[in-house]
Amino acid sequence: MDSSSSSSRNLILQSRMPNIKVFSGSSHLDLAQRVVDRLGIDLGKVVTKKFSNLETCVEIGESVRGEDVYIVQSGSGEINDNLMELLIMINACKIASASRVTAVIPCFPYARQDKKDKAGLEGKDDGSKVVATPPQARFKSNEWKFRAGHTALPSQSRAPISAKLVANMLSVAGADHIITMDLHASQIQGFFDIPVDNLYAEPAVLKWIKENIPEWRNSIIVSPDAGGAKRVTSIADRLNVEFALIHKERRKANEVASMVLVGDVKDRIAILVDDMADTCGTICHAAEKLMDAGATKVYAILTHGIFSGPAISRINNACFEAVVVTNTIPQEEHMRDCPKIQCIDVSMMFAEAVRRTHNGESVSYLFSNVPY
């Protein structure tokens, strides 16, 4: 392309997307680059570094005065460092007179800490690491109850609602708008006093199923726990297939005593669907259960593939045909270590959400369609 045609193209793009700047944090540079490539603009200049005492320092390398600023930072990797970096970048742009600052957070950090649990001694097997109180410590704390002949009841949880704390921090830092995808709990939107657009991976998942599973009409969509029933029924309805769910019974925290399959998967392709997978204990147990129940193949489709701890080795040893995740979290390393992992690119959905937000258009189109 000669210089004259290149400059004319840049002029067209500038006239189409004026007063917009997209910056990337250090958590997912590849996704941010894909977003700006789709928009036809350049990634903003920013330098992030750490001082010797590990304090985060951010320097915005260009003027943002009067600009519509978008900062792409996912809740992955070194989550606490990345969250702090995002807060500092938002504040840096805000005090540099940006007209609006939007945080694009593909995977929202601390989303699993969205409510108080009923009992402080119990935990959820959702990938979170539960640090149990030693039995002797629990006995000592309740010793007076046993001596008095009372039945020891589990204490009320004193757990924080950390997702609300993150929402407050983002607002105080100066964010005017949040764009995220598949929040672990949709009520997190209510934690904010600013607009939150919660995009759905469902349209991209449906597209992947139709293009990559030839026998998808003979499939059944399965939720690995009762909490994902709404997500599974929505996908099953749009594919016009049946759905099933797995009910987990626990003997104690982080230990699944039994799994009960509700639905008939015999001689069908089972597609497990969930919003995230961390240590992958639940979905690997669920896959075994489905194969025992007569499923011919098992796929897993997950929006956020965190894959911490023993997750990769569990997937390698499990009976999955494929484990499909989106690139809301960087997946290059995981795909290198595990050939079963495949990735759906959702950068075009974030790019279209940015474009529509910037131009004041409706974003609801993206809730049921994949932009081409």
Side-chain angles (χ1 to χ4, degrees):
M1 184 183 290
D2 58 18
S3 59
S4 59
S5 60
S6 177
S7 59
S8 62
R9 176 178 174 274
N10 288 337
L11 284 172
I12 292 169
L13 292 172
Q14 286 170 11
S15 63
R16 193 176 68 192
M17 299 284 286
N19 305 111
I20 183 172
K21 292 283 173 69
V22 178
F23 296 99
S24 174
S26 57
S27 69
H28 203 344
L29 187 59
D30 177 64
L31 180 65
Q33 188 62 56
R34 288 170 181 264
V35 168
V36 295
D37 288 347
R38 172 89 180 188
L39 294 172
I41 60 177
D42 294 325
L43 203 57
K45 296 180 179 66
V46 61
V47 176
T48 59
K49 57 188 177 183
K50 280 191 170 66
F51 293 126
S52 59
N53 66 348
L54 300 183
E55 283 184 2
T56 299
C57 176
V58 174
E59 295 174 6
I60 306 296
E62 54 192 85
S63 173
V64 294
R65 184 177 295 275
E67 301 277 1
D68 189 8
V69 174
Y70 296 82
I71 301 171
V72 181
Q73 181 81 311
S74 193
S76 61
E78 298 290 337
I79 290 179
N80 296 327
D81 284 350
N82 291 336
L83 176 59
M84 198 67 210
E85 185 180 281
L86 174 61
L87 296 171
I88 294 171
M89 287 179 74
I90 292 169
N91 191 248
C93 292
K94 201 65 182 177
I95 63 177
S97 302
S99 67
R100 179 174 63 174
V101 179
T102 299
V104 181
I105 313 173
C107 180
F108 193 85
Y110 291 90
R112 284 176 285 184
Q113 299 183 40
D114 62 309
K115 61 182 179 295
K116 282 179 173 286
D117 294 326
K118 287 183 180 178
L121 300 183
E122 293 297 320
K124 293 195 300 180
D125 183 27
D126 59 359
S128 54
K129 185 178 180 182
V130 178
V131 180
T133 308
Q136 63 272 22
R138 289 205 298 268
F139 179 79
K140 287 177 182 176
S141 65
N142 290 319
E143 193 170 5
W144 65 273
K145 293 181 183 176
F146 292 114
R147 285 180 176 173
H150 296 296
T151 303
L153 297 173
S155 60
Q156 286 300 307
S157 171
R158 297 174 190 85
I161 304 177
S162 302
K164 169 63 174 170
L165 176 62
V166 172
N168 288 344
M169 289 194 295
L170 288 165
S171 298
V172 170
D176 300 296
H177 182 208
I178 306 292
I179 298 174
T180 186
M181 178 172 275
D182 274 8
L183 283 170
H184 186 65
S186 56
Q187 70 262 23
I188 293 173
Q189 289 175 277
F191 293 171
F192 289 88
D193 294 323
I194 57 176
V196 178
D197 284 319
N198 181 28
L199 305 178
Y200 299 106
E202 182 182 303
V205 167
L206 292 167
K207 183 170 178 281
W208 189 93
I209 290 173
K210 290 177 180 177
E211 291 178 355
N212 294 276
I213 304 178
E215 315 93 336
W216 63 267
R217 287 182 178 82
N218 186 39
S219 66
I220 183 165
I221 314 298
V222 186
S223 173
D225 54 37
K230 186 177 179 182
R231 183 183 303 107
V232 162
T233 52
S234 175
I235 292 174
D237 286 347
R238 293 187 64 179
L239 290 173
N240 196 25
V241 297
E242 293 184 17
F243 71 93
L245 62 86
I246 292 172
H247 172 64
K248 291 179 290 190
E249 295 177 354
R250 285 193 177 80
R251 195 174 287 117
K252 60 183 180 181
N254 263 24
E255 184 178 310
V256 178
S258 65
M259 282 185 158
V260 180
L261 175 64
V262 183
D264 182 17
V265 300
K266 188 173 177 58
D267 298 326
R268 294 187 185 181
I269 296 171
I271 304 174
L272 279 163
V273 177
D274 207 354
D275 68 321
M276 67 170 60
D278 194 344
T279 56
C280 294
T282 298
I283 63 162
C284 289
H285 280 125
E288 290 176 19
K289 186 74 179 177
L290 292 169
M291 291 301 285
D292 292 344
T296 56
K297 295 179 182 176
V298 179
Y299 292 83
I301 303 182
L302 317 153
T303 305
H304 309 298
I306 301 170
F307 301 139
S308 65
I312 297 297
S313 62
R314 283 176 173 172
I315 292 172
N316 280 326
N317 295 327
C319 53
F320 293 110
E321 289 290 313
V323 175
V324 184
V325 293
T326 70
N327 60 341
T328 56
I329 292 172
Q331 298 295 342
E332 291 81 6
E333 189 176 334
H334 299 145
M335 292 171 73
R336 188 169 61 247
D337 296 338
C338 179
K340 292 181 183 179
I341 295 176
Q342 299 182 31
C343 190
I344 300 173
D345 183 19
V346 291
S347 60
M348 65 284 198
M349 300 187 77
F350 286 104
E352 185 65 9
V354 168
R355 189 194 69 77
R356 286 171 176 262
T357 301
H358 176 68
N359 292 333
E361 300 173 19
S362 172
V363 178
S364 59
Y365 170 84
L366 299 173
F367 296 163
S368 55
N369 298 278
V370 179
Y372 288 93

